[in-house]
Amino acid sequence: MSPDLTDEQRSKHREAGEILARVRAEAADRVEVGASHLEIAEYAEERIRELGGEPAFPVNISVDEEAAHATPEPGDDETFGEEMINLDIGVHVDGWLADTAVTVDLSGHPELAEAPAEALSAAIEVIEPGVHTGEIGAEIESVIDGYGYNPVVNLSGHGLGHWEQHTDPNIPNRAVESGVELEVGDVVAIEPFATDGGGKVTEGSDEEIFALEREASVRNRDARQALEQIVEEFKTLPFARRWLDTRRSEMALRRLERQNVVHGYPVLKEDDGCLVSQKEHTVIVTEDGCEVTTRPR
């Protein structure tokens, strides 16, 4: 977090948010039955670059019981059916980030898609200097409960740092006593998740998103080539296997994982196999409330 944001840093956060608001709307408009996961992910990522930013992480396309960390694999031919789809997209400008998400409901459960959106609006209303993160969580929980659904309690919002997608503080999706008070200049992603299941997620077996853990000497040629690209292009931010230029990328990443050079992000799924919806904005805490950087301007 950067309570002492300079004008230039604040401007880059805003620029990232403006790009993201536009790309989120354009990508969501393309989600329909029969549309390709890979084409939409690649469209959004390339559009971010066209508009002057860089993806802060691979576009997450989570379907039905998936909550996070799902992104197409190289050559993915999967298409959308009558499903609940969450798009989670991030942008950075020189390492200063914005993060946003939206649910596109093709499954016939509009109220489940509405619940996190209304919860997000309620959370944003109470954000100001001195507000406790537990109070934000209470607002989220109250709205989602009012719809008859459960918040996903082991997922949370988070701070955004320079080249850091997840920093303190955690912003819970339920009322908790622990936490911190927000300060002027804090940049946080508020991220309610709702489900018609029990409200917890666990890790699946699939991994297509990774991030650098540490730099190290690597003997294998393919793994070394992959590491050079990771350090140069992605730094500490998450990346997709499909972004790597190296041959045999899956094997190269497994080698890097075994050496604790990179770590993977397993797809997170709702424990009961039930639907998950999501809505997310990035805000900067100001003296009289907050500025939502990822709203359309």
Side-chain angles (χ1 to χ4, degrees):
M1 294 193 304
S2 301
D4 54 348
L5 284 177
T6 66
D7 289 344
E8 181 182 10
Q9 292 163 356
R10 191 182 298 267
S11 176
K12 288 179 177 180
H13 275 298
R14 286 176 176 147
E15 183 181 351
E18 288 175 14
I19 292 169
L20 197 43
R22 186 168 174 181
V23 173
R24 179 189 61 226
E26 292 178 5
D29 282 346
R30 285 164 170 73
V31 175
E32 59 185 13
V33 173
S36 160
H37 290 207
L38 181 59
E39 288 179 6
I40 286 177
E42 290 184 337
Y43 169 83
E45 290 161 1
E46 185 55 36
R47 190 75 175 111
I48 288 166
R49 297 183 183 102
E50 288 176 1
L51 294 172
E54 288 290 336
F57 52 84
V59 170
N60 283 209
I61 300 178
S62 303
V63 176
D64 286 348
E65 77 275 11
E66 295 173 343
H69 303 161
T71 199
E73 64 183 21
D76 200 312
D77 61 359
E78 195 167 5
T79 59
F80 296 113
E82 294 180 349
E83 300 161 321
M84 181 159 284
I85 296 101
N86 299 324
L87 298 178
D88 194 342
I89 311 173
V91 168
H92 78 85
V93 175
D94 295 333
W96 302 99
L97 288 86
D99 191 355
T100 194
V102 64
T103 293
V104 180
D105 177 46
L106 306 178
S107 70
H109 294 82
E111 288 199 344
L112 182 54
E114 290 168 9
E118 186 171 324
L120 178 60
S121 295
I124 289 170
E125 285 294 318
V126 302
I127 293 177
E128 61 182 3
V131 70
H132 193 274
T133 52
E135 182 181 342
I136 300 171
E139 291 289 328
I140 291 170
E141 183 176 30
S142 176
V143 171
I144 293 174
D145 282 352
Y147 273 84
Y149 301 117
N150 290 314
V152 176
V153 297
N154 59 340
L155 290 176
S156 63
H158 51 89
L160 294 167
H162 191 217
W163 295 107
E164 292 183 283
Q165 191 211 347
H166 284 89
T167 66
D168 291 335
N170 288 327
I171 312 293
N173 286 321
R174 62 187 176 105
V176 297
E177 293 185 5
S178 60
V180 299
E181 294 182 354
L182 297 184
E183 302 176 8
V184 173
D186 284 347
V187 182
V188 292
I190 313 297
E191 189 170 14
F193 291 83
T195 179
D196 55 357
K200 288 190 176 181
V201 296
T202 52
E203 293 182 350
S205 58
D206 296 335
E207 284 183 350
E208 286 294 330
I209 299 176
F210 301 84
L212 180 67
E213 187 75 30
R214 64 186 181 92
E215 294 187 50
S217 177
V218 177
R219 289 186 177 182
N220 178 267
R221 179 180 177 182
D222 293 335
R224 186 169 63 250
Q225 182 181 351
L227 180 58
E228 288 172 356
Q229 182 182 359
I230 292 163
V231 171
E232 170 116 11
E233 292 187 27
F234 316 131
K235 297 182 172 59
T236 55
L237 294 176
F239 62 90
R241 179 165 68 93
R242 58 187 164 79
W243 290 0
L244 295 179
D245 298 329
T246 188
R247 56 183 192 155
R248 296 196 287 269
S249 59
E250 186 171 13
M251 184 178 296
L253 283 168
R254 298 308 168 211
R255 287 179 181 272
L256 294 175
E257 275 195 297
R258 285 198 297 270
Q259 291 185 239
N260 297 316
V261 174
V262 303
H263 64 269
Y265 293 87
V267 174
L268 301 178
K269 298 184 178 183
E270 207 280 328
D271 273 2
D272 300 322
C274 294
L275 298 176
V276 177
S277 58
Q278 176 189 17
K279 181 74 174 182
E280 180 181 20
H281 275 311
T282 296
V283 307
I284 302 174
V285 181
T286 61
E287 291 183 358
D288 57 357
C290 70
E291 174 186 354
V292 182
T293 65
T294 48
R295 276 182 179 153
R297 295 182 183 271

PDB file of all heavy atoms in Angstrom, residues 181-193:
ATOM      1  N   GLU A 181      -7.726  -0.240  10.040  1.00  0.00           N
ATOM      2  CA  GLU A 181      -8.451   0.924   9.537  1.00  0.00           C
ATOM      3  C   GLU A 181      -7.771   1.441   8.272  1.00  0.00           C
ATOM      4  O   GLU A 181      -6.539   1.513   8.202  1.00  0.00           O
ATOM      5  CB  GLU A 181      -8.481   2.022  10.605  1.00  0.00           C
ATOM      6  CG  GLU A 181      -9.292   1.650  11.834  1.00  0.00           C
ATOM      7  CD  GLU A 181      -9.344   2.769  12.858  1.00  0.00           C
ATOM      8  OE1 GLU A 181      -8.658   3.793  12.650  1.00  0.00           O
ATOM      9  OE2 GLU A 181     -10.073   2.614  13.860  1.00  0.00           O
ATOM     10  N   LEU A 182      -8.569   1.790   7.281  1.00  0.00           N
ATOM     11  CA  LEU A 182      -8.019   2.314   6.036  1.00  0.00           C
ATOM     12  C   LEU A 182      -7.529   3.744   6.226  1.00  0.00           C
ATOM     13  O   LEU A 182      -8.061   4.499   7.045  1.00  0.00           O
ATOM     14  CB  LEU A 182      -9.065   2.255   4.925  1.00  0.00           C
ATOM     15  CG  LEU A 182      -9.549   0.858   4.518  1.00  0.00           C
ATOM     16  CD1 LEU A 182     -10.510   0.955   3.336  1.00  0.00           C
ATOM     17  CD2 LEU A 182      -8.388  -0.063   4.173  1.00  0.00           C
ATOM     18  N   GLU A 183      -6.515   4.118   5.434  1.00  0.00           N
ATOM     19  CA  GLU A 183      -5.909   5.442   5.499  1.00  0.00           C
ATOM     20  C   GLU A 183      -5.972   6.119   4.137  1.00  0.00           C
ATOM     21  O   GLU A 183      -6.074   5.452   3.095  1.00  0.00           O
ATOM     22  CB  GLU A 183      -4.438   5.336   5.930  1.00  0.00           C
ATOM     23  CG  GLU A 183      -4.209   4.671   7.265  1.00  0.00           C
ATOM     24  CD  GLU A 183      -2.733   4.523   7.580  1.00  0.00           C
ATOM     25  OE1 GLU A 183      -1.904   5.075   6.824  1.00  0.00           O
ATOM     26  OE2 GLU A 183      -2.397   3.848   8.574  1.00  0.00           O
ATOM     27  N   VAL A 184      -5.881   7.436   4.135  1.00  0.00           N
ATOM     28  CA  VAL A 184      -5.833   8.190   2.881  1.00  0.00           C
ATOM     29  C   VAL A 184      -4.663   7.683   2.038  1.00  0.00           C
ATOM     30  O   VAL A 184      -3.546   7.516   2.528  1.00  0.00           O
ATOM     31  CB  VAL A 184      -5.668   9.698   3.157  1.00  0.00           C
ATOM     32  CG1 VAL A 184      -5.434  10.454   1.849  1.00  0.00           C
ATOM     33  CG2 VAL A 184      -6.894  10.245   3.871  1.00  0.00           C
ATOM     34  N   GLY A 185      -4.929   7.412   0.765  1.00  0.00           N
ATOM     35  CA  GLY A 185      -3.901   6.937  -0.145  1.00  0.00           C
ATOM     36  C   GLY A 185      -3.852   5.436  -0.303  1.00  0.00           C
ATOM     37  O   GLY A 185      -3.178   4.935  -1.211  1.00  0.00           O
ATOM     38  N   ASP A 186      -4.550   4.702   0.561  1.00  0.00           N
ATOM     39  CA  ASP A 186      -4.605   3.251   0.383  1.00  0.00           C
ATOM     40  C   ASP A 186      -5.298   2.917  -0.937  1.00  0.00           C
ATOM     41  O   ASP A 186      -6.321   3.531  -1.286  1.00  0.00           O
ATOM     42  CB  ASP A 186      -5.391   2.590   1.520  1.00  0.00           C
ATOM     43  CG  ASP A 186      -4.606   2.516   2.817  1.00  0.00           C
ATOM     44  OD1 ASP A 186      -3.387   2.745   2.789  1.00  0.00           O
ATOM     45  OD2 ASP A 186      -5.221   2.215   3.867  1.00  0.00           O
ATOM     46  N   VAL A 187      -4.762   1.953  -1.665  1.00  0.00           N
ATOM     47  CA  VAL A 187      -5.368   1.471  -2.905  1.00  0.00           C
ATOM     48  C   VAL A 187      -5.800   0.032  -2.660  1.00  0.00           C
ATOM     49  O   VAL A 187      -4.968  -0.836  -2.362  1.00  0.00           O
ATOM     50  CB  VAL A 187      -4.380   1.536  -4.086  1.00  0.00           C
ATOM     51  CG1 VAL A 187      -5.056   1.072  -5.376  1.00  0.00           C
ATOM     52  CG2 VAL A 187      -3.847   2.955  -4.248  1.00  0.00           C
ATOM     53  N   VAL A 188      -7.108  -0.216  -2.740  1.00  0.00           N
ATOM     54  CA  VAL A 188      -7.631  -1.540  -2.405  1.00  0.00           C
ATOM     55  C   VAL A 188      -8.631  -2.008  -3.458  1.00  0.00           C
ATOM     56  O   VAL A 188      -9.347  -1.204  -4.064  1.00  0.00           O
ATOM     57  CB  VAL A 188      -8.302  -1.562  -1.012  1.00  0.00           C
ATOM     58  CG1 VAL A 188      -7.264  -1.362   0.077  1.00  0.00           C
ATOM     59  CG2 VAL A 188      -9.398  -0.531  -0.901  1.00  0.00           C
ATOM     60  N   ALA A 189      -8.647  -3.322  -3.664  1.00  0.00           N
ATOM     61  CA  ALA A 189      -9.642  -3.963  -4.517  1.00  0.00           C
ATOM     62  C   ALA A 189     -10.714  -4.571  -3.618  1.00  0.00           C
ATOM     63  O   ALA A 189     -10.405  -5.390  -2.750  1.00  0.00           O
ATOM     64  CB  ALA A 189      -8.987  -5.037  -5.372  1.00  0.00           C
ATOM     65  N   ILE A 190     -11.945  -4.137  -3.798  1.00  0.00           N
ATOM     66  CA  ILE A 190     -13.082  -4.666  -3.049  1.00  0.00           C
ATOM     67  C   ILE A 190     -13.732  -5.726  -3.927  1.00  0.00           C
ATOM     68  O   ILE A 190     -14.127  -5.444  -5.056  1.00  0.00           O
ATOM     69  CB  ILE A 190     -14.098  -3.566  -2.700  1.00  0.00           C
ATOM     70  CG1 ILE A 190     -13.381  -2.338  -2.121  1.00  0.00           C
ATOM     71  CG2 ILE A 190     -15.152  -4.096  -1.745  1.00  0.00           C
ATOM     72  CD1 ILE A 190     -12.645  -2.583  -0.827  1.00  0.00           C
ATOM     73  N   GLU A 191     -13.901  -6.955  -3.400  1.00  0.00           N
ATOM     74  CA  GLU A 191     -14.155  -8.100  -4.270  1.00  0.00           C
ATOM     75  C   GLU A 191     -15.159  -9.084  -3.647  1.00  0.00           C
ATOM     76  O   GLU A 191     -14.777 -10.177  -3.230  1.00  0.00           O
ATOM     77  CB  GLU A 191     -12.816  -8.787  -4.537  1.00  0.00           C
ATOM     78  CG  GLU A 191     -12.808  -9.861  -5.569  1.00  0.00           C
ATOM     79  CD  GLU A 191     -11.392 -10.309  -5.920  1.00  0.00           C
ATOM     80  OE1 GLU A 191     -10.430  -9.981  -5.192  1.00  0.00           O
ATOM     81  OE2 GLU A 191     -11.260 -11.004  -6.927  1.00  0.00           O
ATOM     82  N   PRO A 192     -16.439  -8.728  -3.582  1.00  0.00           N
ATOM     83  CA  PRO A 192     -17.419  -9.681  -3.045  1.00  0.00           C
ATOM     84  C   PRO A 192     -17.630 -10.881  -3.972  1.00  0.00           C
ATOM     85  O   PRO A 192     -17.719 -10.735  -5.191  1.00  0.00           O
ATOM     86  CB  PRO A 192     -18.697  -8.855  -2.945  1.00  0.00           C
ATOM     87  CG  PRO A 192     -18.262  -7.434  -3.023  1.00  0.00           C
ATOM     88  CD  PRO A 192     -17.045  -7.425  -3.877  1.00  0.00           C
ATOM     89  N   PHE A 193     -17.730 -12.052  -3.358  1.00  0.00           N
ATOM     90  CA  PHE A 193     -18.123 -13.284  -4.046  1.00  0.00           C
ATOM     91  C   PHE A 193     -19.389 -13.795  -3.357  1.00  0.00           C
ATOM     92  O   PHE A 193     -19.461 -13.800  -2.130  1.00  0.00           O
ATOM     93  CB  PHE A 193     -17.055 -14.368  -3.917  1.00  0.00           C
ATOM     94  CG  PHE A 193     -15.782 -14.107  -4.669  1.00  0.00           C
ATOM     95  CD1 PHE A 193     -14.790 -13.310  -4.122  1.00  0.00           C
ATOM     96  CD2 PHE A 193     -15.546 -14.704  -5.905  1.00  0.00           C
ATOM     97  CE1 PHE A 193     -13.596 -13.099  -4.793  1.00  0.00           C
ATOM     98  CE2 PHE A 193     -14.357 -14.500  -6.584  1.00  0.00           C
ATOM     99  CZ  PHE A 193     -13.382 -13.691  -6.028  1.00  0.00           C
TER     100      PHE A 193
END
